[in-house]
Amino acid sequence: GAGVSQSPSNKVTEKGKDVELRCDPISGHTALYWYRQSLGQGLEFLIYFQGNSAPDKSGLPSDRFSAERTGGSVSTLTIQRTQQEDSAVYLCASSLDRYYYEQYFGPGTRLTVT
Amino acid sequence: AQSVTQPDIHITVSEGASLELRCNYSYGATPYLFWYVQSPGQGLQLLLKYFSGDTLVQGIKGFEAEFKRSQSSFNLRKPSVHWSDAAEYFCAVVGSGNTGKLIFGQGTTLQVKP
């Protein structure tokens, strides 16, 4: 079946602009995660959604980062007023639920801030 | 706080040789452990997982890993490496907080010599 998809695959933006990254999880998966992969910080958790529950935003690095999940499916990660340190690969993963633990990852969005 | 350490940043092995990638974790309770592989430009693919039971777990692509509680380790092994195994390997543990979020090690890059 279809895996996790992310768009765009690459995004180049100017410093100070806003960007939106999209994630389509596997159908039926109620848990959705965003991670960031950067050279200096490795792979780090950003935010978690489970069904209609309040998200766990504990990994968001600043208030310029926000995310939403509409209808319990598609998620959008928004970065406002991008900075050069936001350049990274943003990975989305989904899981049947938070207790299932086995997460399936999308191919990622490579964000470059110039 | 939970943490994962992969002591080897880069490993080079000859094709056909055996492989062991090291992973040490810090976690108070019984950990849920994973190994993921990432090929260039790709997302993360799950190789294997340990939740409980038999401490030697088998995964895809001929990989296995052994959980050793006394050493807080979860090392990945393969008896005979193929050139296609060249990639980056990540060890991960489920973090606390009942969200299922993953805490990753810094990764080990595997290079395979012909």
Side-chain angles (χ1 to χ4, degrees), chain A residues 35 43 101 103 105, chain B residues 2-6 22-27 31-37 44 46 48-51 67 73-74 76 89-95 100-107:
Chain A
Y35 296 88
L43 266 161
Y101 297 127
Q103 295 178 24
F105 282 79
Chain B
Q2 301 87 9
S3 65
V4 176
T5 302
Q6 294 180 243
R22 296 183 292 163
C23 172
N24 292 97
Y25 65 89
S26 171
Y27 192 73
Y32 295 152
L33 294 157
F34 303 82
W35 274 99
Y36 282 88
V37 61
L44 298 171
L46 180 66
L48 48 76
K49 60 184 183 286
Y50 173 78
F51 289 173
F67 170 64
S73 69
F74 187 56
L76 182 71
Y89 292 78
F90 293 93
C91 182
V93 66
V94 172
K101 67 183 179 185
L102 296 176
I103 309 298
F104 287 90
Q106 289 297 308

mmCIF file of all heavy atoms in Angstrom, chain A residues 35 43 101 103 105, chain B residues 2-6 22-27 31-37 44 46 48-51 67 73-74 76 89-95 100-107:
data_model
loop_
_atom_site.group_PDB
_atom_site.id
_atom_site.type_symbol
_atom_site.label_atom_id
_atom_site.label_comp_id
_atom_site.label_asym_id
_atom_site.label_seq_id
_atom_site.Cartn_x
_atom_site.Cartn_y
_atom_site.Cartn_z
ATOM 1 N N TYR A 35 9.915 15.116 12.615
ATOM 2 C CA TYR A 35 11.289 15.144 13.097
ATOM 3 C C TYR A 35 12.100 16.058 12.175
ATOM 4 O O TYR A 35 11.739 16.294 11.023
ATOM 5 C CB TYR A 35 11.926 13.745 13.056
ATOM 6 C CG TYR A 35 11.298 12.723 13.967
ATOM 7 C CD1 TYR A 35 10.219 11.957 13.541
ATOM 8 C CD2 TYR A 35 11.798 12.506 15.250
ATOM 9 C CE1 TYR A 35 9.649 11.013 14.376
ATOM 10 C CE2 TYR A 35 11.232 11.554 16.090
ATOM 11 C CZ TYR A 35 10.152 10.820 15.638
ATOM 12 O OH TYR A 35 9.586 9.885 16.468
ATOM 13 N N LEU A 43 18.991 13.763 14.382
ATOM 14 C CA LEU A 43 17.547 13.574 14.226
ATOM 15 C C LEU A 43 16.854 13.949 15.527
ATOM 16 O O LEU A 43 17.099 13.350 16.566
ATOM 17 C CB LEU A 43 17.236 12.109 13.921
ATOM 18 C CG LEU A 43 17.120 11.702 12.475
ATOM 19 C CD1 LEU A 43 17.283 10.205 12.328
ATOM 20 C CD2 LEU A 43 15.778 12.133 11.915
ATOM 21 N N TYR A 101 4.235 2.026 18.335
ATOM 22 C CA TYR A 101 5.643 2.413 18.332
ATOM 23 C C TYR A 101 6.361 2.278 17.000
ATOM 24 O O TYR A 101 7.316 2.986 16.765
ATOM 25 C CB TYR A 101 6.450 1.662 19.390
ATOM 26 C CG TYR A 101 6.004 1.944 20.799
ATOM 27 C CD1 TYR A 101 5.678 0.917 21.665
ATOM 28 C CD2 TYR A 101 5.917 3.253 21.255
ATOM 29 C CE1 TYR A 101 5.272 1.186 22.959
ATOM 30 C CE2 TYR A 101 5.506 3.523 22.544
ATOM 31 C CZ TYR A 101 5.191 2.486 23.399
ATOM 32 O OH TYR A 101 4.794 2.754 24.668
ATOM 33 N N GLN A 103 7.174 3.164 13.660
ATOM 34 C CA GLN A 103 6.902 4.346 12.852
ATOM 35 C C GLN A 103 7.420 4.160 11.427
ATOM 36 O O GLN A 103 8.509 3.633 11.221
ATOM 37 C CB GLN A 103 7.548 5.578 13.482
ATOM 38 C CG GLN A 103 6.954 5.921 14.839
ATOM 39 C CD GLN A 103 7.599 7.100 15.497
ATOM 40 O OE1 GLN A 103 8.187 7.965 14.849
ATOM 41 N NE2 GLN A 103 7.507 7.153 16.815
ATOM 42 N N PHE A 105 8.401 6.142 8.003
ATOM 43 C CA PHE A 105 8.858 7.485 7.658
ATOM 44 C C PHE A 105 8.620 7.805 6.181
ATOM 45 O O PHE A 105 8.728 6.935 5.316
ATOM 46 C CB PHE A 105 10.351 7.626 7.950
ATOM 47 C CG PHE A 105 10.658 7.819 9.401
ATOM 48 C CD1 PHE A 105 10.665 6.740 10.267
ATOM 49 C CD2 PHE A 105 10.924 9.083 9.904
ATOM 50 C CE1 PHE A 105 10.940 6.922 11.624
ATOM 51 C CE2 PHE A 105 11.204 9.277 11.248
ATOM 52 C CZ PHE A 105 11.208 8.185 12.111
ATOM 53 N N GLN B 2 16.206 10.175 28.512
ATOM 54 C CA GLN B 2 16.703 9.090 27.677
ATOM 55 C C GLN B 2 17.746 9.621 26.695
ATOM 56 O O GLN B 2 17.680 10.771 26.261
ATOM 57 C CB GLN B 2 15.568 8.455 26.870
ATOM 58 C CG GLN B 2 14.456 7.898 27.704
ATOM 59 C CD GLN B 2 13.425 8.949 28.012
ATOM 60 O OE1 GLN B 2 13.455 10.041 27.469
ATOM 61 N NE2 GLN B 2 12.525 8.620 28.896
ATOM 62 N N SER B 3 18.661 8.743 26.338
ATOM 63 C CA SER B 3 19.642 9.103 25.317
ATOM 64 C C SER B 3 20.121 7.843 24.630
ATOM 65 O O SER B 3 20.003 6.739 25.172
ATOM 66 C CB SER B 3 20.833 9.865 25.914
ATOM 67 O OG SER B 3 21.556 9.037 26.792
ATOM 68 N N VAL B 4 20.636 8.028 23.433
ATOM 69 C CA VAL B 4 21.188 6.928 22.659
ATOM 70 C C VAL B 4 22.546 7.368 22.144
ATOM 71 O O VAL B 4 22.680 8.482 21.613
ATOM 72 C CB VAL B 4 20.273 6.562 21.478
ATOM 73 C CG1 VAL B 4 20.910 5.475 20.622
ATOM 74 C CG2 VAL B 4 18.902 6.119 21.975
ATOM 75 N N THR B 5 23.519 6.502 22.283
ATOM 76 C CA THR B 5 24.873 6.796 21.832
ATOM 77 C C THR B 5 25.321 5.763 20.817
ATOM 78 O O THR B 5 25.239 4.560 21.074
ATOM 79 C CB THR B 5 25.862 6.796 23.013
ATOM 80 O OG1 THR B 5 25.451 7.759 23.979
ATOM 81 C CG2 THR B 5 27.268 7.151 22.522
ATOM 82 N N GLN B 6 25.741 6.256 19.689
ATOM 83 C CA GLN B 6 26.370 5.398 18.685
ATOM 84 C C GLN B 6 27.834 5.843 18.621
ATOM 85 O O GLN B 6 28.132 6.895 18.046
ATOM 86 C CB GLN B 6 25.670 5.536 17.334
ATOM 87 C CG GLN B 6 24.242 5.013 17.358
ATOM 88 C CD GLN B 6 23.555 5.158 16.018
ATOM 89 O OE1 GLN B 6 22.571 5.882 15.895
ATOM 90 N NE2 GLN B 6 24.055 4.456 15.008
ATOM 91 N N ARG B 22 27.565 -0.415 16.930
ATOM 92 C CA ARG B 22 27.291 -0.345 18.348
ATOM 93 C C ARG B 22 26.239 0.705 18.692
ATOM 94 O O ARG B 22 26.166 1.764 18.051
ATOM 95 C CB ARG B 22 28.585 -0.039 19.107
ATOM 96 C CG ARG B 22 29.631 -1.133 18.983
ATOM 97 C CD ARG B 22 30.858 -0.797 19.805
ATOM 98 N NE ARG B 22 31.603 0.342 19.266
ATOM 99 C CZ ARG B 22 32.495 1.027 19.956
ATOM 100 N NH1 ARG B 22 32.737 0.742 21.223
ATOM 101 N NH2 ARG B 22 33.154 2.023 19.376
ATOM 102 N N CYS B 23 25.473 0.383 19.712
ATOM 103 C CA CYS B 23 24.446 1.294 20.202
ATOM 104 C C CYS B 23 24.331 1.108 21.711
ATOM 105 O O CYS B 23 24.140 -0.008 22.188
ATOM 106 C CB CYS B 23 23.105 1.014 19.540
ATOM 107 S SG CYS B 23 21.713 1.934 20.256
ATOM 108 N N ASN B 24 24.418 2.199 22.447
ATOM 109 C CA ASN B 24 24.189 2.178 23.879
ATOM 110 C C ASN B 24 23.076 3.153 24.213
ATOM 111 O O ASN B 24 22.990 4.231 23.635
ATOM 112 C CB ASN B 24 25.468 2.564 24.630
ATOM 113 C CG ASN B 24 26.545 1.525 24.486
ATOM 114 O OD1 ASN B 24 27.433 1.645 23.637
ATOM 115 N ND2 ASN B 24 26.468 0.477 25.268
ATOM 116 N N TYR B 25 22.229 2.774 25.160
ATOM 117 C CA TYR B 25 21.091 3.607 25.499
ATOM 118 C C TYR B 25 21.104 3.910 26.986
ATOM 119 O O TYR B 25 21.711 3.199 27.794
ATOM 120 C CB TYR B 25 19.782 2.913 25.111
ATOM 121 C CG TYR B 25 19.536 1.664 25.905
ATOM 122 C CD1 TYR B 25 18.851 1.702 27.115
ATOM 123 C CD2 TYR B 25 20.029 0.438 25.472
ATOM 124 C CE1 TYR B 25 18.667 0.567 27.868
ATOM 125 C CE2 TYR B 25 19.854 -0.706 26.211
ATOM 126 C CZ TYR B 25 19.177 -0.647 27.402
ATOM 127 O OH TYR B 25 18.994 -1.778 28.143
ATOM 128 N N SER B 26 20.410 4.962 27.309
ATOM 129 C CA SER B 26 20.205 5.325 28.701
ATOM 130 C C SER B 26 18.710 5.454 28.909
ATOM 131 O O SER B 26 18.059 6.310 28.295
ATOM 132 C CB SER B 26 20.891 6.660 29.011
ATOM 133 O OG SER B 26 20.532 7.115 30.295
ATOM 134 N N TYR B 27 18.165 4.545 29.730
ATOM 135 C CA TYR B 27 16.717 4.525 29.954
ATOM 136 C C TYR B 27 16.439 3.756 31.214
ATOM 137 O O TYR B 27 16.998 2.702 31.434
ATOM 138 C CB TYR B 27 16.025 3.870 28.758
ATOM 139 C CG TYR B 27 14.528 4.055 28.742
ATOM 140 C CD1 TYR B 27 13.978 5.280 28.424
ATOM 141 C CD2 TYR B 27 13.675 3.012 29.055
ATOM 142 C CE1 TYR B 27 12.609 5.468 28.408
ATOM 143 C CE2 TYR B 27 12.307 3.187 29.036
ATOM 144 C CZ TYR B 27 11.771 4.421 28.715
ATOM 145 O OH TYR B 27 10.419 4.613 28.706
ATOM 146 N N PRO B 31 13.491 -0.693 27.778
ATOM 147 C CA PRO B 31 13.448 0.153 26.583
ATOM 148 C C PRO B 31 12.791 -0.550 25.402
ATOM 149 O O PRO B 31 12.834 -1.769 25.295
ATOM 150 C CB PRO B 31 14.926 0.400 26.288
ATOM 151 C CG PRO B 31 15.594 -0.857 26.752
ATOM 152 C CD PRO B 31 14.805 -1.345 27.939
ATOM 153 N N TYR B 32 12.193 0.242 24.557
ATOM 154 C CA TYR B 32 11.756 -0.225 23.246
ATOM 155 C C TYR B 32 12.776 0.334 22.248
ATOM 156 O O TYR B 32 12.911 1.548 22.117
ATOM 157 C CB TYR B 32 10.359 0.270 22.913
ATOM 158 C CG TYR B 32 9.279 -0.276 23.816
ATOM 159 C CD1 TYR B 32 8.117 0.437 24.049
ATOM 160 C CD2 TYR B 32 9.409 -1.508 24.425
ATOM 161 C CE1 TYR B 32 7.109 -0.048 24.865
ATOM 162 C CE2 TYR B 32 8.410 -2.008 25.248
ATOM 163 C CZ TYR B 32 7.276 -1.282 25.469
ATOM 164 O OH TYR B 32 6.302 -1.777 26.286
ATOM 165 N N LEU B 33 13.462 -0.558 21.558
ATOM 166 C CA LEU B 33 14.630 -0.192 20.764
ATOM 167 C C LEU B 33 14.422 -0.501 19.296
ATOM 168 O O LEU B 33 13.755 -1.482 18.939
ATOM 169 C CB LEU B 33 15.860 -0.932 21.276
ATOM 170 C CG LEU B 33 16.308 -0.544 22.679
ATOM 171 C CD1 LEU B 33 17.120 -1.654 23.314
ATOM 172 C CD2 LEU B 33 17.101 0.754 22.653
ATOM 173 N N PHE B 34 15.040 0.317 18.454
ATOM 174 C CA PHE B 34 14.909 0.177 17.009
ATOM 175 C C PHE B 34 16.258 0.427 16.336
ATOM 176 O O PHE B 34 17.098 1.164 16.845
ATOM 177 C CB PHE B 34 13.917 1.207 16.442
ATOM 178 C CG PHE B 34 12.556 1.166 17.040
ATOM 179 C CD1 PHE B 34 12.292 1.798 18.236
ATOM 180 C CD2 PHE B 34 11.535 0.494 16.405
ATOM 181 C CE1 PHE B 34 11.024 1.774 18.795
ATOM 182 C CE2 PHE B 34 10.254 0.463 16.949
ATOM 183 C CZ PHE B 34 10.005 1.101 18.146
ATOM 184 N N TRP B 35 16.402 -0.178 15.165
ATOM 185 C CA TRP B 35 17.446 0.206 14.228
ATOM 186 C C TRP B 35 16.760 0.588 12.910
ATOM 187 O O TRP B 35 15.916 -0.154 12.398
ATOM 188 C CB TRP B 35 18.420 -0.936 13.964
ATOM 189 C CG TRP B 35 19.532 -1.028 14.954
ATOM 190 C CD1 TRP B 35 19.629 -1.863 16.026
ATOM 191 C CD2 TRP B 35 20.745 -0.269 14.965
ATOM 192 N NE1 TRP B 35 20.810 -1.661 16.695
ATOM 193 C CE2 TRP B 35 21.512 -0.684 16.059
ATOM 194 C CE3 TRP B 35 21.260 0.745 14.129
ATOM 195 C CZ2 TRP B 35 22.773 -0.138 16.365
ATOM 196 C CZ3 TRP B 35 22.497 1.292 14.424
ATOM 197 C CH2 TRP B 35 23.251 0.844 15.533
ATOM 198 N N TYR B 36 17.153 1.768 12.411
ATOM 199 C CA TYR B 36 16.672 2.251 11.120
ATOM 200 C C TYR B 36 17.870 2.442 10.188
ATOM 201 O O TYR B 36 18.983 2.728 10.635
ATOM 202 C CB TYR B 36 15.970 3.597 11.264
ATOM 203 C CG TYR B 36 14.561 3.540 11.804
ATOM 204 C CD1 TYR B 36 14.311 3.566 13.172
ATOM 205 C CD2 TYR B 36 13.462 3.480 10.935
ATOM 206 C CE1 TYR B 36 13.004 3.532 13.659
ATOM 207 C CE2 TYR B 36 12.166 3.449 11.419
ATOM 208 C CZ TYR B 36 11.957 3.475 12.782
ATOM 209 O OH TYR B 36 10.654 3.445 13.258
ATOM 210 N N VAL B 37 17.606 2.325 8.883
ATOM 211 C CA VAL B 37 18.628 2.585 7.881
ATOM 212 C C VAL B 37 18.142 3.688 6.953
ATOM 213 O O VAL B 37 16.948 3.784 6.649
ATOM 214 C CB VAL B 37 18.980 1.310 7.078
ATOM 215 C CG1 VAL B 37 17.779 0.767 6.334
ATOM 216 C CG2 VAL B 37 20.131 1.567 6.124
ATOM 217 N N LEU B 44 13.757 7.056 6.426
ATOM 218 C CA LEU B 44 14.248 5.994 7.285
ATOM 219 C C LEU B 44 13.440 4.719 7.074
ATOM 220 O O LEU B 44 12.204 4.763 7.019
ATOM 221 C CB LEU B 44 14.144 6.414 8.751
ATOM 222 C CG LEU B 44 14.962 7.640 9.147
ATOM 223 C CD1 LEU B 44 14.608 8.073 10.548
ATOM 224 C CD2 LEU B 44 16.427 7.355 9.045
ATOM 225 N N LEU B 46 12.760 0.895 8.688
ATOM 226 C CA LEU B 46 12.934 0.097 9.892
ATOM 227 C C LEU B 46 13.613 -1.222 9.557
ATOM 228 O O LEU B 46 13.153 -1.962 8.690
ATOM 229 C CB LEU B 46 11.587 -0.165 10.551
ATOM 230 C CG LEU B 46 11.615 -1.005 11.829
ATOM 231 C CD1 LEU B 46 12.345 -0.268 12.944
ATOM 232 C CD2 LEU B 46 10.198 -1.371 12.258
ATOM 233 N N LEU B 48 14.770 -3.445 12.303
ATOM 234 C CA LEU B 48 14.302 -4.373 13.326
ATOM 235 C C LEU B 48 13.959 -3.609 14.585
ATOM 236 O O LEU B 48 14.285 -2.430 14.720
ATOM 237 C CB LEU B 48 15.351 -5.452 13.610
ATOM 238 C CG LEU B 48 16.804 -5.027 13.834
ATOM 239 C CD1 LEU B 48 17.051 -4.421 15.178
ATOM 240 C CD2 LEU B 48 17.745 -6.213 13.589
ATOM 241 N N LYS B 49 13.284 -4.321 15.495
ATOM 242 C CA LYS B 49 12.862 -3.692 16.746
ATOM 243 C C LYS B 49 12.929 -4.716 17.870
ATOM 244 O O LYS B 49 12.836 -5.922 17.643
ATOM 245 C CB LYS B 49 11.444 -3.153 16.628
ATOM 246 C CG LYS B 49 10.395 -4.206 16.308
ATOM 247 C CD LYS B 49 9.040 -3.551 16.120
ATOM 248 C CE LYS B 49 7.948 -4.589 15.875
ATOM 249 N NZ LYS B 49 8.007 -5.169 14.527
ATOM 250 N N TYR B 50 13.098 -4.209 19.083
ATOM 251 C CA TYR B 50 13.039 -5.017 20.282
ATOM 252 C C TYR B 50 12.073 -4.381 21.264
ATOM 253 O O TYR B 50 12.235 -3.218 21.652
ATOM 254 C CB TYR B 50 14.413 -5.162 20.941
ATOM 255 C CG TYR B 50 14.338 -5.854 22.271
ATOM 256 C CD1 TYR B 50 14.202 -7.227 22.341
ATOM 257 C CD2 TYR B 50 14.339 -5.123 23.460
ATOM 258 C CE1 TYR B 50 14.086 -7.867 23.568
ATOM 259 C CE2 TYR B 50 14.231 -5.751 24.684
ATOM 260 C CZ TYR B 50 14.107 -7.119 24.728
ATOM 261 O OH TYR B 50 13.990 -7.749 25.945
ATOM 262 N N PHE B 51 11.092 -5.177 21.693
ATOM 263 C CA PHE B 51 10.154 -4.711 22.717
ATOM 264 C C PHE B 51 10.292 -5.546 23.986
ATOM 265 O O PHE B 51 10.315 -5.010 25.092
ATOM 266 C CB PHE B 51 8.710 -4.782 22.211
ATOM 267 C CG PHE B 51 8.375 -3.764 21.151
ATOM 268 C CD1 PHE B 51 7.152 -3.806 20.500
ATOM 269 C CD2 PHE B 51 9.256 -2.758 20.793
ATOM 270 C CE1 PHE B 51 6.827 -2.865 19.514
ATOM 271 C CE2 PHE B 51 8.952 -1.814 19.821
ATOM 272 C CZ PHE B 51 7.727 -1.875 19.184
ATOM 273 N N PHE B 67 19.921 -7.484 22.325
ATOM 274 C CA PHE B 67 19.672 -6.617 23.459
ATOM 275 C C PHE B 67 20.409 -7.181 24.674
ATOM 276 O O PHE B 67 20.209 -8.343 25.047
ATOM 277 C CB PHE B 67 18.173 -6.543 23.748
ATOM 278 C CG PHE B 67 17.823 -5.858 25.040
ATOM 279 C CD1 PHE B 67 18.113 -4.521 25.231
ATOM 280 C CD2 PHE B 67 17.186 -6.554 26.072
ATOM 281 C CE1 PHE B 67 17.786 -3.879 26.407
ATOM 282 C CE2 PHE B 67 16.846 -5.923 27.250
ATOM 283 C CZ PHE B 67 17.154 -4.584 27.424
ATOM 284 N N SER B 73 23.058 -2.139 25.892
ATOM 285 C CA SER B 73 23.455 -2.095 24.492
ATOM 286 C C SER B 73 22.440 -2.800 23.603
ATOM 287 O O SER B 73 21.670 -3.658 24.057
ATOM 288 C CB SER B 73 24.834 -2.737 24.301
ATOM 289 O OG SER B 73 24.775 -4.130 24.521
ATOM 290 N N PHE B 74 22.473 -2.415 22.356
ATOM 291 C CA PHE B 74 21.587 -3.015 21.342
ATOM 292 C C PHE B 74 22.353 -2.938 20.032
ATOM 293 O O PHE B 74 22.061 -2.139 19.154
ATOM 294 C CB PHE B 74 20.262 -2.256 21.268
ATOM 295 C CG PHE B 74 19.214 -2.887 20.383
ATOM 296 C CD1 PHE B 74 18.797 -4.203 20.588
ATOM 297 C CD2 PHE B 74 18.605 -2.157 19.361
ATOM 298 C CE1 PHE B 74 17.814 -4.775 19.795
ATOM 299 C CE2 PHE B 74 17.621 -2.724 18.561
ATOM 300 C CZ PHE B 74 17.232 -4.036 18.784
ATOM 301 N N LEU B 76 23.886 -3.895 16.385
ATOM 302 C CA LEU B 76 23.388 -4.425 15.112
ATOM 303 C C LEU B 76 24.493 -5.232 14.443
ATOM 304 O O LEU B 76 25.642 -4.785 14.391
ATOM 305 C CB LEU B 76 22.963 -3.267 14.204
ATOM 306 C CG LEU B 76 22.368 -3.623 12.845
ATOM 307 C CD1 LEU B 76 20.977 -4.230 13.010
ATOM 308 C CD2 LEU B 76 22.308 -2.390 11.955
ATOM 309 N N TYR B 89 23.054 4.380 9.480
ATOM 310 C CA TYR B 89 22.270 3.552 10.377
ATOM 311 C C TYR B 89 22.019 4.298 11.685
ATOM 312 O O TYR B 89 22.943 4.873 12.275
ATOM 313 C CB TYR B 89 22.995 2.229 10.646
ATOM 314 C CG TYR B 89 23.067 1.351 9.424
ATOM 315 C CD1 TYR B 89 23.997 1.599 8.418
ATOM 316 C CD2 TYR B 89 22.181 0.302 9.247
ATOM 317 C CE1 TYR B 89 24.051 0.822 7.275
ATOM 318 C CE2 TYR B 89 22.222 -0.492 8.110
ATOM 319 C CZ TYR B 89 23.160 -0.222 7.134
ATOM 320 O OH TYR B 89 23.203 -0.996 5.999
ATOM 321 N N PHE B 90 20.760 4.257 12.109
ATOM 322 C CA PHE B 90 20.364 4.953 13.323
ATOM 323 C C PHE B 90 19.753 3.974 14.321
ATOM 324 O O PHE B 90 18.868 3.194 13.973
ATOM 325 C CB PHE B 90 19.326 6.041 13.004
ATOM 326 C CG PHE B 90 19.855 7.179 12.198
ATOM 327 C CD1 PHE B 90 19.763 7.164 10.812
ATOM 328 C CD2 PHE B 90 20.452 8.259 12.821
ATOM 329 C CE1 PHE B 90 20.251 8.218 10.050
ATOM 330 C CE2 PHE B 90 20.943 9.320 12.069
ATOM 331 C CZ PHE B 90 20.849 9.293 10.687
ATOM 332 N N CYS B 91 20.222 4.090 15.543
ATOM 333 C CA CYS B 91 19.620 3.381 16.660
ATOM 334 C C CYS B 91 18.673 4.352 17.365
ATOM 335 O O CYS B 91 18.953 5.568 17.429
ATOM 336 C CB CYS B 91 20.724 2.912 17.612
ATOM 337 S SG CYS B 91 20.180 1.977 19.033
ATOM 338 N N ALA B 92 17.552 3.852 17.858
ATOM 339 C CA ALA B 92 16.581 4.740 18.493
ATOM 340 C C ALA B 92 15.891 4.021 19.646
ATOM 341 O O ALA B 92 15.759 2.795 19.647
ATOM 342 C CB ALA B 92 15.536 5.217 17.488
ATOM 343 N N VAL B 93 15.435 4.811 20.596
ATOM 344 C CA VAL B 93 14.666 4.301 21.729
ATOM 345 C C VAL B 93 13.401 5.129 21.857
ATOM 346 O O VAL B 93 13.408 6.337 21.560
ATOM 347 C CB VAL B 93 15.506 4.356 23.021
ATOM 348 C CG1 VAL B 93 15.812 5.797 23.436
ATOM 349 C CG2 VAL B 93 14.825 3.619 24.166
ATOM 350 N N VAL B 94 12.330 4.509 22.282
ATOM 351 C CA VAL B 94 11.098 5.265 22.513
ATOM 352 C C VAL B 94 11.293 6.099 23.769
ATOM 353 O O VAL B 94 11.688 5.587 24.823
ATOM 354 C CB VAL B 94 9.888 4.331 22.676
ATOM 355 C CG1 VAL B 94 8.661 5.121 23.113
ATOM 356 C CG2 VAL B 94 9.619 3.610 21.375
ATOM 357 N N GLY B 95 10.996 7.399 23.638
ATOM 358 C CA GLY B 95 11.143 8.294 24.765
ATOM 359 C C GLY B 95 10.016 8.163 25.754
ATOM 360 O O GLY B 95 9.008 7.507 25.492
ATOM 361 N N GLY B 100 5.255 7.838 22.188
ATOM 362 C CA GLY B 100 5.922 7.018 21.198
ATOM 363 C C GLY B 100 7.020 7.726 20.431
ATOM 364 O O GLY B 100 7.592 7.160 19.506
ATOM 365 N N LYS B 101 7.315 8.973 20.811
ATOM 366 C CA LYS B 101 8.359 9.696 20.074
ATOM 367 C C LYS B 101 9.686 8.978 20.233
ATOM 368 O O LYS B 101 9.976 8.371 21.259
ATOM 369 C CB LYS B 101 8.483 11.132 20.575
ATOM 370 C CG LYS B 101 9.003 11.255 21.986
ATOM 371 C CD LYS B 101 9.031 12.706 22.438
ATOM 372 C CE LYS B 101 9.523 12.818 23.864
ATOM 373 N NZ LYS B 101 9.438 14.206 24.360
ATOM 374 N N LEU B 102 10.500 9.042 19.186
ATOM 375 C CA LEU B 102 11.771 8.343 19.169
ATOM 376 C C LEU B 102 12.922 9.288 19.502
ATOM 377 O O LEU B 102 12.957 10.437 19.062
ATOM 378 C CB LEU B 102 12.022 7.717 17.787
ATOM 379 C CG LEU B 102 11.036 6.624 17.370
ATOM 380 C CD1 LEU B 102 11.325 6.159 15.947
ATOM 381 C CD2 LEU B 102 11.086 5.456 18.329
ATOM 382 N N ILE B 103 13.855 8.754 20.284
ATOM 383 C CA ILE B 103 15.114 9.434 20.574
ATOM 384 C C ILE B 103 16.179 8.698 19.772
ATOM 385 O O ILE B 103 16.359 7.484 19.964
ATOM 386 C CB ILE B 103 15.462 9.384 22.069
ATOM 387 C CG1 ILE B 103 14.291 9.847 22.929
ATOM 388 C CG2 ILE B 103 16.727 10.193 22.338
ATOM 389 C CD1 ILE B 103 13.873 11.274 22.702
ATOM 390 N N PHE B 104 16.868 9.426 18.900
ATOM 391 C CA PHE B 104 17.817 8.797 17.992
ATOM 392 C C PHE B 104 19.260 9.016 18.440
ATOM 393 O O PHE B 104 19.607 10.038 19.047
ATOM 394 C CB PHE B 104 17.674 9.381 16.582
ATOM 395 C CG PHE B 104 16.449 8.945 15.853
ATOM 396 C CD1 PHE B 104 15.269 9.670 15.953
ATOM 397 C CD2 PHE B 104 16.468 7.806 15.052
ATOM 398 C CE1 PHE B 104 14.123 9.266 15.268
ATOM 399 C CE2 PHE B 104 15.333 7.400 14.366
ATOM 400 C CZ PHE B 104 14.165 8.120 14.476
ATOM 401 N N GLY B 105 20.103 8.047 18.081
ATOM 402 C CA GLY B 105 21.531 8.251 18.167
ATOM 403 C C GLY B 105 21.985 9.126 17.015
ATOM 404 O O GLY B 105 21.197 9.488 16.137
ATOM 405 N N GLN B 106 23.257 9.463 17.013
ATOM 406 C CA GLN B 106 23.796 10.377 16.002
ATOM 407 C C GLN B 106 24.001 9.710 14.650
ATOM 408 O O GLN B 106 24.247 10.390 13.662
ATOM 409 C CB GLN B 106 25.126 10.956 16.479
ATOM 410 C CG GLN B 106 24.973 11.950 17.617
ATOM 411 C CD GLN B 106 24.172 13.172 17.197
ATOM 412 O OE1 GLN B 106 24.447 13.822 16.195
ATOM 413 N NE2 GLN B 106 23.132 13.490 17.965
ATOM 414 N N GLY B 107 23.890 8.408 14.614
ATOM 415 C CA GLY B 107 24.030 7.708 13.349
ATOM 416 C C GLY B 107 25.436 7.213 13.084
ATOM 417 O O GLY B 107 26.415 7.818 13.542
#
